[in-house]
Amino acid sequence: MISSTRTKTSLSEIYCGGYSGEDPPLPIPNREVKLTIADGTAPPGGRVGSCHFFLQHPCHFYDGDVLLYMKLVDMMLFTLIFFFYSLPCFTQDSDSLKSDNLSAYQKFFEGKKVESATGVFSLHKKDGKLYMEIADSLLNRDFLLASTVSETSDNLNSIVGSKPFNPLHLKIDKVADKIRFLNVEKSNISRHPGDNIDRALSKSSLDAVFKTFDIVVYSEDSTSFIIDVTDLFCSDYEQLSPFDPDSPYSSGKVKRSTVFSSSKSYISSIKAFDDNVTVKSLLSYEVTVNAGKKTLFKDKPFSALMTRSILMLPKEAARARITDSRMSVFPSAAILYDSQSLLSKPVYFAHRWRLEPSDTSAFISGKLTQPVKPITFYVDPDFPEEFRPAIKEGILQWNDAFERIGFKDAIVVKDFPQNDKDFDPDNLKYSCVRYAPTPIENSMGPSWVDPRSGEIISASVYIYHDVLKLLSKWLF
């Protein structure tokens, strides 16, 4: 037992073996310190690890100096722990180092299975979602967004190849970190751009917000950004609906109601080109049709494979042409305000193809000239073979009319390309003649135009199966 009356000895006397007192010494055991992080996280600059070191003192001493010594040792241990903590004695594995060096843009794609398509926009499909990468240079450009029926489980709701609704005229802009798709509606125009009336009209014709998106990530040079467009291409929007408002299920006393099923809908495929992108989505619904008080069917499953296209319009619109009432053409209507006459009047811009002569001098001199870009129609391979020769001949007969105004071979007819991966008859940029196997005695030919000028971007001709019955009634 150690006496409480033993002589006090200073640390300076006993430190490292300098004491020679009578009482037996108190041994100071070796201290082992293991350096770890309690929550398992890596210390700065390295991964979780451990360091071991020993404080060994061959000296022995007594009583009060023991407490002082222990405090000194604890302070030294505390200091050494922080010393070793700050040293790069921990090594970080290569995967962690690599991840730390990646930009936010690179991390967006890292370790993911991504299907990408690069064009006017870049599309990235990953984890069941669809992302669109948009360059800053495309902000405030004009686009058309259209939805085409590629396949359907019931063609009395809509026919294959049809666009149940007119394309939307869109602009894309950026407000803070929000991206807006604006629905452009310009049905009121001024004869003199920039005048008082024009400024007043601009305040009364604000582009409505169709949809907003959060920016997910910027590109490494911050000249483009990525947004999540899954909802745009895989949700139910009336303007992009697969249901034709003029179908047999929605005419007269027949009324149709639909319920969208998001759990049965998904994005199927993506494509991107220099001037457009296309996304195919399978959209599913439950459909109920009533005829007066009678229910024809209730909650019937319905699916349609839709192709939604975003097409970039020319930077400079074509020159608009006012219609001649003596000629039957489809027009786009607007109200024209005139600051000179101080009157307004309706105007109608003709829907017309942009035909430009390949040789302007020859064209002016009266020679037949081929156009820079002919009007090209593609004929559906699903037509009964008996239909096809007559369809092609009927289209080409229009070249006689174009020759009267100086164009040679203005219209070209082609079959659907079989080995062209870029061709898609449901893409807004292609004009097609489509076969519709429905018992309707009719055909129709809508066109889709640049709303700024009336320039025809594409046209479709739908020939229903029983059109022959209609022709028989006309002829016989």
Side-chain angles (χ1 to χ4, degrees), residues 287-338:
V287 180
T288 298
V289 173
N290 296 304
K293 295 182 179 181
K294 181 180 180 181
T295 299
L296 300 184
F297 51 82
K298 181 178 176 61
D299 297 334
K300 178 182 177 180
F302 169 79
S303 294
L305 182 65
M306 302 298 293
T307 299
R308 290 178 177 172
S309 304
I310 301 181
L311 174 70
M312 182 169 62
L313 293 172
K315 203 165 191 176
E316 296 294 330
R319 183 180 179 181
R321 177 175 294 176
I322 294 177
T323 59
D324 187 327
S325 60
R326 297 169 297 176
M327 298 180 63
S328 179
V329 296
F330 290 106
S332 291
I335 301 297
L336 179 66
Y337 292 81
D338 193 328

Side-chain angles (χ1 to χ4, degrees), residues 61-94:
F61 46 88
Y62 301 125
D63 258 6
D65 284 333
V66 173
L67 179 61
L68 180 59
Y69 180 84
M70 295 299 292
K71 288 183 178 180
L72 178 60
V73 170
D74 286 341
M75 184 172 66
M76 290 174 64
L77 292 177
F78 184 77
T79 304
L80 285 170
I81 287 173
F82 276 88
F83 172 74
F84 279 98
Y85 188 93
S86 62
L87 287 177
C89 63
F90 299 98
T91 59
Q92 191 171 16
D93 57 46
S94 59

Side-chain angles (χ1 to χ4, degrees), residues 451-473:
R452 302 170 299 172
S453 63
E455 177 191 355
I456 297 175
I457 302 300
S458 70
S460 296
V461 178
Y462 309 129
I463 298 179
Y464 301 97
H465 182 79
D466 279 349
V467 68
L468 292 180
K469 292 182 180 179
L470 178 64
L471 293 175
S472 296
K473 293 174 182 178

Side-chain angles (χ1 to χ4, degrees), residues 24-146:
L26 283 176
I28 304 299
N30 295 335
R31 286 204 171 190
E32 177 182 352
V33 178
K34 184 176 183 181
L35 179 59
T36 58
I37 307 301
D39 62 1
T41 59
R47 61 184 173 84
V48 173
S50 63
C51 288
H52 300 270
F53 61 92
F54 297 88
L55 294 180
Q56 292 183 339
H57 296 277
C59 51
H60 304 282
F61 46 88
Y62 301 125
D63 258 6
D65 284 333
V66 173
L67 179 61
L68 180 59
Y69 180 84
M70 295 299 292
K71 288 183 178 180
L72 178 60
V73 170
D74 286 341
M75 184 172 66
M76 290 174 64
L77 292 177
F78 184 77
T79 304
L80 285 170
I81 287 173
F82 276 88
F83 172 74
F84 279 98
Y85 188 93
S86 62
L87 287 177
C89 63
F90 299 98
T91 59
Q92 191 171 16
D93 57 46
S94 59
D95 289 342
S96 180
L97 282 170
K98 181 180 178 182
S99 178
D100 286 346
N101 291 330
L102 294 178
S103 66
Y105 181 80
Q106 291 172 321
K107 288 180 180 178
F108 177 78
F109 298 99
E110 184 193 19
K112 304 290 185 180
K113 183 180 179 181
V114 182
E115 177 187 352
S116 295
T118 302
V120 59
F121 306 118
S122 291
L123 300 176
H124 307 293
K125 185 182 175 187
K126 71 165 190 171
D127 297 334
K129 291 188 174 184
L130 180 64
Y131 299 88
M132 179 182 290
E133 186 170 353
I134 304 173
D136 286 343
S137 59
L138 297 176
L139 295 176
N140 297 310
R141 286 290 303 267
D142 292 275
F143 297 89
L144 291 182
L145 169 61

